[in-house]
Amino acid sequence: MPRYEVTIEKDACDGIFACLTRDPRFIEGADGLATVDPTADPVYDCEGEVTDDAERVVATFDDDRVDEAKQAAAACPTDAIIVEEVGE
């Protein structure tokens, strides 16, 4: 399975939340911007590592759901989400 990172650039996120309708791992954070919660999906039991700082959210996954993350990124009208496959 591919290992990939999902990055949300907070300064580019306007809290439009188009990503939430494409991938349920995206949620609204306490700051009113998009963030990632691997446990938020009611259908799939998902694990991932999430780092959240003042500038960005970076979530790393090792599963077969990279296409869902890419659809969420494509839906973002401000291009705040980047999905990249990464090596081990």
Side-chain angles (χ1 to χ4, degrees), residues 10 13 18 20 24 29-30 32-35 42-43 46 48 50 53 63-64 67 70 76 85:
K10 290 185 177 183
C13 180
L20 277 66
L33 302 176
T35 190
V43 176
C46 184
V50 180
D53 63 31
D63 59 33
D64 60 355
D67 287 338
K70 288 180 178 179
C76 180
E85 291 189 33

Side-chain angles (χ1 to χ4, degrees), residues 50-61:
V50 180
T51 304
D52 189 341
D53 63 31
E55 296 176 5
R56 66 187 51 88
V57 176
V58 179
T60 305
F61 296 97

Side-chain angles (χ1 to χ4, degrees), residues 2-88:
R3 183 171 173 82
Y4 59 97
E5 284 183 351
V6 177
T7 303
I8 303 171
E9 296 293 341
K10 290 185 177 183
D11 63 341
C13 180
D14 282 342
I16 297 167
F17 304 120
C19 54
L20 277 66
T21 63
R22 304 315 193 279
D23 187 332
R25 296 174 291 182
F26 288 84
I27 62 167
E28 181 176 356
D31 58 3
L33 302 176
T35 190
V36 179
D37 180 357
T39 65
D41 190 331
V43 176
Y44 296 101
D45 185 19
C46 184
E47 292 184 18
E49 300 172 19
V50 180
T51 304
D52 189 341
D53 63 31
E55 296 176 5
R56 66 187 51 88
V57 176
V58 179
T60 305
F61 296 97
D62 188 5
D63 59 33
D64 60 355
R65 298 179 64 201
V66 66
D67 287 338
E68 290 177 50
K70 288 180 178 179
Q71 289 174 9
C76 180
T78 62
D79 295 325
I81 303 169
I82 302 161
V83 179
E84 298 177 305
E85 291 189 33
V86 294
E88 299 273 335

